[in-house]
Amino acid sequence: MGAMTTLRVLGGPGTGKSTMLVDAAATRIAGGADPASVLLLTGSGRMAAAARGALTATLLNARPGGLSVVREPLVRSVHSYAFGVLRNAAARAGDPPPRLVTGAEQDGIIRELLAGDLDDGARYWPRELRPALTTVGFATELRDLLSRCVQRGIDPIELQRIGRVSGRREWVAAGRFAQQYEQVMLLRASVGTAAPQATVPALGAADLVGAALEALAADADLLAAERARVRLLLVDDAQHLDPQAATLVRVLAAGSDLTVLAGDPNQAVFGFRGADADLLSADSPVITLTRSHRCAPAIARAISGIAAALPGTGWRALEGRDGDDEGSVTVTVAASTHAEAAVVADALRRAHLVDGVPWSQLAVIVRSVSAAAALTRALSVAGVPVDAPTAGGAVVENPGVRSLLTVLSATESGLDDDSAEALLTGPIGRVDPVSLRQLRRALRHTDRTVLDALTGPAQELPATLAAPVKRVRSVLAAAARSHGSHHDPRYTLWQAWERSGLQRRWLTAADRGGADAALAERNLAAVTALFDITEAYVARTAGASLSGLLDHVATLQLPPVAADAAPAGETVAVLSPHAALGRDWHTVVIAGLQDGLWPNTTPRGGVLGTQRLLDVLDGLGEDVSARAPLLAEERRLLIAAMGRARQRLLITAVDSDAGDESTLPSVFVPELARLASGDTDTAALTLVQAPPVLSPAAVVGRLRGVVCAPADAVDEGRRASAAEQLARLAAAGVPGADPQHWHGLSALSTQEPLWSGDDHIVTLSPSTVQTLTDCPLRWLAERHGGTGVRQVTSTLGSVVHALVAESSRTAEQLIAELENVWAAVPFDSPWYAANELNRHRAMLAAFTAWRVATRHELTEIGTEIELDGLVAPPADGLPGVRVRGRIDRLERDAQGRVVIVDVKTAKSPVTKDDAQRHAQLGVYQLAVSEGVLVAGDHAAGDQPGGGRLVFIGKPTASGGATEREQSALGADDTEGWRDAVRAAAAATAGPTFAARVNDGCSHCPIKPTCPAHNSGAEPS
Ligand code: SF4
């Protein structure tokens, strides 16, 4: 082998390029060469780790006695190698090692500088870009453009020149910004941010390789030492290297005995990150590998077919691996996204259950993981254990993180009113808007505020309100104690976290499963990310402080979960084609191959035109199609994704006209279908409806359908066979298979009434009397857990009732208070929140209009008046009734009688006749006549003067409320109502509970299983 030889090894997926490099390294070392003389460079840290594992295994096999220790790693990513060069250069000069800044930190610095530009008028930025300067997206885009320039050796002055020549003012501005950025980074290197003594240069990932090249150019001895050391230079996936990394390889190759560049121009898919496969087209000897040792023949043929349409000179034919197994490629076009999810779920479950493929040997590749969230959810529901990156916003947007940061901020610089309320209503305090209002009201009696409650002396509060206040106080106190003892920010954060109890709470929720578990896991991931950030901040910053940490976190835009998180054990990976590089699976599903999504030919580079800048640097004119290179990169991405499959490849897409927009398959789909079938007729692609998924619930459902089918509907032999299979599943413990657990088949546990006895007293609220009168079955269901989760509408109803109880407030004041609490109400969407706010403003206005309009006839006695007492003694075998509750408003009419007012927020008023029969109003009147009102300016023996239902949910044309009246109770009526409440109370005994169809059925939580609506049908 002659000196300074460069050899290229080209080949498609699985052709053994990486294995060949590992073998070359192992052979060299086994031949007695110093291990430090071998360097294997890869495009990324993840691939370096895989190659390192393979090389170590090969060396251990070759030399079971053990290996000699090497000072420099044999396998490194290009960036890691560049960092090593800089560290050596610094050591030779007696300087501290270089300091790395993450992309998020760079974004933070860029955003600070842009904010400063805006303060100064941002005059050098084009006017149309100024509104975007403060956005996170712009900072990221600017960093990307500057990185691309660094990778191509374009300095800020040159960038400004190119911008002027090309008439692109945004590039001139970016060049000026880059000058400023460089100066600031130099300044930070010499004085530090929070550490005046720091003198370590701070480098971003894009600067590393350029800085290493500069170091090698400036220090001839360093370059000579590196060249003398590295005798065998191996480069894997060379198509992923950017121009600067390629230059570094060339610099090193100039001194090595042999350089082997392995790669595949047909899998060059990091163009958006500046990668360029140019290194692989150098004029040097080439070995082309044509046989894939990974892909089965059917898959290799399909890959060759897709590669045939690529521009350029890369390989065109890929042979499949040896052996009898042909493998398979299937293309399925589904009639809906639901059907596509069912196809994928069924294929994965069959591969695992029928063919015995481990879950970890199955993968789903999608062009965009965030766009495939619904597919991921559907797979989970169908019983496929998936491992997909968690979608989520920046760390600081997580409510748990926000609360902890608020605690740290309060510890550093005190609490204000807004932060105090935010802490109470956040995950630590967990106070809902209604309780917050009650707390404010309770505190107002002693002239104190929520802030006083958290920071002043502890004070007596009702138990339900005291608990959250105490919890927040103890978290604040724990953080303050730690800070007061001069512990570093990590310790203070830990103290607050530990005292909050959130860890136990979220871990418990995560263990329970369901939607809450997913939320709890996201919260835990976000808090873990906050601890990581804090750890990194403290480790890198001498003199780290709480305020420094808060500033640091505020400028970061990090997702809660690291993008390169290690895959979990036995799960199916759902990932992007880029994340799938370097890995392979028995079965791969490429899902969501849709028009507009894959190929995605939207020009990259955004408002700064980064892609156009690269084209200018490459000498391409405006007339060159921007779409063609993107289309080619998307095709290469498809090849890379297909090449991950060893045995089976399933490609799915949706063709549907349903919904707002039609969903069309990608242009790749007919091409793939032809390749998969060997048929040139694409009409063979028929739309597939959702197949029955091979999941326990679906199978049990189908078997039960046969077993329980009406006589003559199924063949008796089939019924017996289904029963036999069900019995097998029941014996294996599959949920729902055992008839013991089927609804309606178990025997009644008791026929006894819920209570008995002649002198039994039943305690009811007036609204319960109404429910019992309307439908005893609904009462039973709701009383025993048959209500849904507390809905937003119910919270809003409570807020409105609390507001209208404030007699002294004007409409404007009530609306202002409503707007104050609105942000804390958990709406699903902003448009709905805005709509509801308007509706509730109108309600409050309607109420105050009604109040004004009725003052000539009614005088307010009080609001939220409690009642508690016996209104009907036991009689005639019926129970006695004690009523307990609260009346919205009590008024006195011109004759001195007491009038009940009940405020309703429902949108539909009851009829006038129904109001006369309204049980709730009737019970209130009975309570007045029996003198069981607890307090207020009224007395036992007061005459009831009737009741009024005030419907504010549907204001009249004049903006007032709709009123419905119940006449004053006469002596005869009193007995009638007494009997009615006794009858309602008697209905609570059971054991039979009647289902009575009524106007409220449409809102009844058990309507789907109600016998009055379903002719006795059982729930499915
Ligand atoms: S749907 Fe109607 S009849 Fe059935 S339980 Fe509910 S309220 Fe009663």
Side-chain angles (χ1 to χ4, degrees):
M1 206 172 286
M4 288 185 255
T5 301
T6 297
L7 187 65
R8 290 177 296 144
V9 179
L10 307 182
T15 47
K17 303 179 294 295
S18 302
T19 310
M20 193 178 137
L21 293 181
V22 167
D23 286 349
T27 307
R28 179 85 162 203
I29 295 166
D34 178 1
S37 69
V38 177
L39 176 63
L40 171 50
L41 290 178
T42 67
S44 79
R46 181 160 55 79
M47 292 177 191
R52 199 173 297 129
L55 180 56
T56 308
T58 309
L59 289 173
L60 283 172
N61 285 339
R63 215 192 276 187
L67 295 169
S68 52
V69 175
V70 289
R71 269 186 303 114
E72 293 287 338
L74 301 183
V75 184
R76 309 184 80 159
S77 70
V78 174
H79 287 98
S80 156
Y81 173 73
F83 187 77
V85 168
L86 290 172
R87 205 183 43 212
N88 285 347
R92 289 164 66 88
D95 292 335
R99 191 170 75 84
L100 273 181
V101 287
T102 63
E105 281 179 277
Q106 278 183 297
D107 283 354
I109 297 164
I110 289 173
R111 289 180 71 199
E112 275 175 33
L113 293 178
L114 287 171
D117 277 359
L118 265 186
D119 288 345
D120 295 341
R123 272 186 287 279
Y124 70 89
W125 285 102
R127 185 182 298 278
E128 63 277 13
L129 287 185
R130 288 177 204 161
L133 295 192
T134 51
T135 63
V136 176
F138 187 83
T140 307
E141 212 173 277
L142 185 54
R143 173 163 63 87
D144 188 48
L145 182 134
L146 299 184
S147 300
R148 296 291 86 83
C149 288
V150 169
Q151 285 167 354
R152 288 172 181 251
I154 305 296
D155 66 25
I157 304 290
E158 178 64 2
L159 177 58
Q160 291 177 58
R161 191 193 65 75
I162 295 169
R164 275 193 294 275
V165 171
S166 313
R168 303 290 293 246
R169 288 181 303 138
E170 63 274 29
W171 296 348
V172 178
R176 282 190 60 178
F177 178 87
Q179 266 180 303
Q180 190 192 158
Y181 177 78
E182 280 188 0
Q183 286 160 2
V184 168
M185 292 306 274
L186 280 174
L187 208 59
R188 287 167 78 96
S190 58
V191 301
T193 46
Q197 65 274 46
T199 56
V200 185
L203 295 166
D207 307 317
L208 265 181
V209 180
L213 282 170
E214 280 171 20
L216 291 172
D219 186 342
D221 290 344
L222 178 65
L223 176 60
E226 280 303 291
R227 282 181 170 165
R229 180 176 75 80
V230 180
R231 308 309 312 146
L232 175 61
L233 176 64
L234 306 165
V235 182
D236 200 5
D237 284 321
Q239 75 276 9
H240 296 330
L241 301 187
D242 62 52
Q244 234 176 8
T247 305
L248 182 61
V249 168
R250 287 193 190 98
V251 166
L252 275 180
S256 69
D257 297 333
L258 175 63
T259 300
V260 183
L261 305 173
D264 181 5
N266 287 358
Q267 292 188 76
V269 294
F270 283 117
F272 70 95
R273 273 189 351 203
D276 190 339
D278 209 31
L279 193 62
L280 287 174
S281 52
D283 185 17
S284 56
V286 60
I287 297 173
T288 304
L289 306 174
T290 55
R291 180 173 293 280
S292 176
H293 302 287
R294 178 194 303 153
C295 305
I299 297 169
R301 275 198 301 279
I303 292 175
S304 303
I306 294 295
L310 271 176
T313 55
W315 55 268
R316 289 295 174 265
L318 185 69
E319 294 165 43
R321 63 160 191 254
D322 287 334
D324 297 335
D325 197 341
E326 260 289 291
S328 68
V329 177
T330 314
V331 179
T332 302
V333 179
S336 64
T337 46
H338 163 67
E340 185 190 33
V343 166
V344 176
D346 191 53
L348 293 172
R349 286 194 60 86
R350 279 178 197 279
H352 179 69
L353 297 173
V354 180
D355 303 330
V357 183
W359 290 120
S360 57
Q361 282 304 312
L362 304 168
V364 180
I365 297 181
V366 287
R367 182 67 180 85
S368 156
V369 175
S370 56
L375 173 66
T376 309
R377 272 197 304 276
L379 293 180
S380 292
V381 169
V384 176
V386 286
D387 169 38
T390 311
V395 168
V396 287
E397 287 165 19
N398 178 272
V401 168
R402 256 201 324 257
S403 286
L404 288 170
L405 292 175
T406 307
V407 170
L408 296 191
S409 165
T411 307
E412 170 76 17
S413 46
L415 204 59
D416 59 22
D417 289 313
D418 289 345
S419 311
E421 292 201 359
L423 275 181
L424 266 177
T425 52
I428 299 176
R430 304 192 291 280
V431 167
D432 64 42
V434 177
S435 306
L436 179 65
R437 240 189 105 67
Q438 287 167 347
L439 177 65
R440 282 209 215 101
R441 205 181 310 157
L443 290 167
R444 218 177 289 142
H445 290 313
T446 51
D447 279 340
R448 301 184 61 193
T449 62
V450 170
L451 178 61
D452 298 330
L454 294 187
T455 54
Q459 105 169 58
E460 285 273 304
L461 284 168
T464 50
L465 301 175
V469 170
K470 198 168 155 206
R471 200 160 45 236
V472 176
R473 283 179 70 104
S474 71
V475 172
L476 287 168
R481 266 197 306 280
S482 166
H483 189 56
S485 308
H486 306 294
H487 288 303
D488 78 34
R490 286 172 301 192
Y491 193 78
T492 305
L493 175 63
W494 176 256
Q495 289 299 315
W497 167 242
E498 197 177 50
R499 187 52 67 99
S500 72
L502 288 173
Q503 184 179 14
R504 191 166 34 82
R505 190 179 175 80
W506 287 342
L507 283 175
T508 310
D511 283 346
R512 271 204 298 263
D516 285 352
L519 184 64
E521 277 167 15
R522 268 204 301 281
N523 288 335
L524 286 166
V527 173
T528 306
L530 176 63
F531 273 105
D532 288 346
I533 292 166
T534 308
E535 177 68 38
Y537 163 76
V538 173
R540 288 178 189 169
T541 314
S545 65
L546 270 189
S547 58
L549 172 67
L550 291 166
D551 287 348
H552 178 70
V553 173
T555 56
L556 292 181
Q557 290 295 324
L558 287 174
V561 177
D564 240 352
E570 275 307 306
T571 52
V572 175
V574 178
L575 69 186
S576 71
H578 295 101
L581 291 175
R583 300 174 66 184
D584 55 75
W585 293 268
H586 174 280
T587 297
V588 168
V589 179
I590 299 179
L593 210 58
Q594 300 304 136
D595 185 40
L597 185 64
W598 197 349
N600 174 5
T601 51
T602 310
R604 323 288 203 257
V607 292
L608 289 174
T610 308
Q611 185 58 46
R612 183 65 209 133
L613 174 65
L614 297 182
D615 289 347
V616 169
L617 295 177
D618 290 340
L620 300 177
E622 289 275 6
D623 50 341
V624 174
S625 162
R627 192 170 181 272
L630 292 174
L631 199 53
E633 175 140 331
E634 295 286 309
R635 185 175 283 273
R636 289 196 295 270
L637 201 56
L638 181 59
I639 291 171
M642 294 167 75
R644 303 303 107 206
R646 293 199 302 269
Q647 200 63 31
R648 274 186 229 152
L649 181 60
L650 168 63
I651 290 143
T652 65
V654 175
D655 189 348
S656 161
D657 263 337
D660 295 342
E661 288 176 13
S662 56
T663 312
L664 293 172
S666 152
V667 291
F668 292 139
V669 171
E671 201 177 329
L672 284 162
R674 277 195 299 274
L675 292 166
S677 64
D679 187 350
T680 51
D681 181 10
T682 55
L685 265 181
T686 47
L687 290 191
V688 173
Q689 303 296 332
V693 179
L694 183 62
S695 70
V699 171
V700 166
R702 289 204 295 279
L703 291 173
R704 280 174 61 171
V706 176
V707 170
C708 302
D712 301 333
V714 292
D715 170 55
E716 285 312 308
R718 221 172 135 232
R719 193 193 301 273
S721 155
E724 195 180 323
Q725 297 307 324
L726 265 181
R728 283 181 58 207
L729 293 174
V734 175
D738 189 341
Q740 293 282 336
H741 304 141
W742 296 1
H743 179 84
L745 286 193
S746 31
L748 294 178
S749 55
T750 179
Q751 298 255 26
E752 294 295 309
L754 297 184
W755 52 262
S756 58
D758 287 347
D759 53 355
H760 188 78
I761 306 282
V762 177
T763 302
L764 298 172
S765 72
S767 60
T768 313
V769 173
Q770 183 73 55
T771 309
L772 280 162
T773 309
D774 290 344
C775 178
L777 181 60
R778 179 171 183 170
W779 170 83
L780 179 77
E782 292 189 339
R783 175 71 194 264
H784 297 282
T787 49
V789 289
R790 188 172 158 92
Q791 301 286 334
V792 163
T793 44
S794 149
T795 305
L796 291 179
S798 305
V799 170
V800 169
H801 275 87
L803 286 171
V804 299
E806 304 270 2
S807 310
S808 57
R809 305 292 172 102
T810 62
E812 290 71 28
Q813 288 169 329
L814 291 179
I815 289 170
E817 286 219 36
L818 176 75
E819 288 166 352
N820 264 343
V821 297
W822 205 253
V825 182
F827 284 103
D828 285 341
S829 64
W831 67 265
Y832 181 63
N835 224 23
E836 282 298 285
L837 180 57
N838 280 338
R839 206 169 68 80
H840 283 76
R841 282 190 189 117
M843 277 196 215
L844 294 177
F847 172 76
T848 45
W850 170 87
R851 198 173 57 192
V852 170
T854 50
R855 288 314 89 190
H856 69 281
E857 49 170 330
L858 298 175
T859 308
E860 181 180 308
I861 298 173
T863 60
E864 297 196 345
I865 304 292
E866 279 188 40
L867 54 97
D868 187 353
L870 196 68
V871 293
D876 304 331
L878 291 174
V881 184
R882 174 185 168 197
V883 290
R884 242 187 7 207
R886 200 180 285 247
I887 301 173
D888 287 345
R889 292 178 66 82
L890 211 55
E891 310 258 11
R892 201 172 288 284
D893 67 9
Q895 291 124 287
R897 300 177 306 175
V898 171
V899 177
I900 313 290
V901 175
D902 194 49
V903 178
K904 297 285 187 199
T905 55
K907 291 177 192 163
S908 314
V910 299
T911 64
K912 289 178 179 166
D913 286 348
D914 284 345
Q916 288 297 346
R917 293 190 292 266
H918 201 267
Q920 194 179 351
L921 279 187
V923 176
Y924 282 139
Q925 291 210 64
L926 187 61
V928 170
S929 76
E930 293 301 313
V932 298
L933 272 52
V934 173
D937 180 18
H938 50 84
D942 259 339
Q943 279 298 307
R948 300 190 188 190
L949 298 173
V950 178
F951 285 89
I952 59 175
K954 193 172 182 199
T956 57
S958 60
T962 304
E963 198 183 77
R964 294 283 183 263
E965 273 193 59
Q966 184 174 73
S967 310
L969 227 56
D972 296 346
D973 303 322
T974 308
E975 262 326 296
W977 279 114
R978 235 191 287 277
D979 289 345
V981 292
R982 282 199 194 101
T988 63
T992 339
F993 294 86
R996 267 181 223 139
V997 175
N998 63 85
D999 288 347
C1001 285
S1002 55
H1003 302 297
C1004 175
I1006 62 160
K1007 189 177 176 195
T1009 55
C1010 171
H1013 287 271
N1014 296 287
S1015 315
E1018 303 299 348
S1020 57

